[in-house]
Amino acid sequence: MAVSVLQNGKNYSATNVTPIVLGIPVLGTTEISYNHKIKDENHYGLGAQPTSYGQGMETYDGGSLTVSFDEMQQILATAPNNTIINIPPSTITVVFDGLGVLPTVHKILNVRFTEDPFTVKSGDTIMYCKIPFNFAGIDKSGT
């Protein structure tokens, strides 16, 4: 029997991800994270095993975007008073595309940046800003 090599083809990787913030493709992004979850609990009666389960509120735990200081300056140029926390609720579009992968899009909705951070350390050859945000909704319909 022949062994199937690379049966799943090419996987998505960091090289396939482009975040777009306020219409600006942020190519100097080193990390983006966001989380959507639902409250889910087992219910118990007498005995040791659950008898049912219930689900409750969906929550959005927030996220963060780590960008180069240069690209932070481009974002700040569009911000009221040059402060990222003054940007009205907006959408971050995360595009997944490239050779060998199926193009798709996540839209992180109602993004509100919660901090205007800056850090630099001795010896840094590039400066990064990790920008936390809150949001309400994700559209993963792919368009």
Side-chain angles (χ1 to χ4, degrees):
M1 183 170 147
V3 175
S4 179
V5 177
L6 296 177
Q7 63 188 7
N8 294 326
K10 183 178 179 184
N11 286 320
Y12 292 95
S13 67
T15 63
N16 304 111
V17 180
T18 305
I20 301 171
V21 178
L22 303 173
I24 303 166
V26 188
L27 303 177
T29 299
T30 60
E31 180 182 356
I32 185 166
S33 66
Y34 43 96
N35 191 27
H36 172 212
K37 65 183 181 181
I38 190 167
K39 182 176 183 176
D40 186 292
E41 294 180 344
N42 287 326
H43 301 148
Y44 294 85
L46 296 174
Q49 296 300 317
T51 58
S52 65
Y53 73 94
Q55 291 184 319
M57 294 189 329
E58 292 186 39
T59 58
Y60 301 93
D61 289 343
S64 66
L65 179 71
T66 303
V67 300
S68 68
F69 182 72
D70 297 341
E71 291 195 333
M72 176 70 153
Q73 296 310 299
Q74 292 178 30
I75 295 168
L76 289 175
T78 67
N81 300 320
N82 289 321
T83 303
I84 200 163
I85 59 176
N86 289 339
I87 294 173
S90 59
T91 298
I92 295 177
T93 302
V94 184
V95 178
F96 303 85
D97 66 0
L99 294 174
V101 297
L102 182 65
T104 191
V105 173
H106 290 180
K107 292 181 182 176
I108 308 168
L109 307 172
N110 304 298
V111 171
R112 287 109 46 219
F113 295 104
T114 58
E115 296 179 26
D116 193 353
F118 177 78
T119 302
V120 65
K121 300 181 303 288
S122 176
D124 284 353
T125 59
I126 186 168
M127 297 181 293
Y128 289 101
C129 300
K130 185 171 186 172
I131 312 163
F133 59 83
N134 286 327
F135 66 100
I138 300 176
D139 176 359
K140 293 184 180 179
S141 64
T143 56

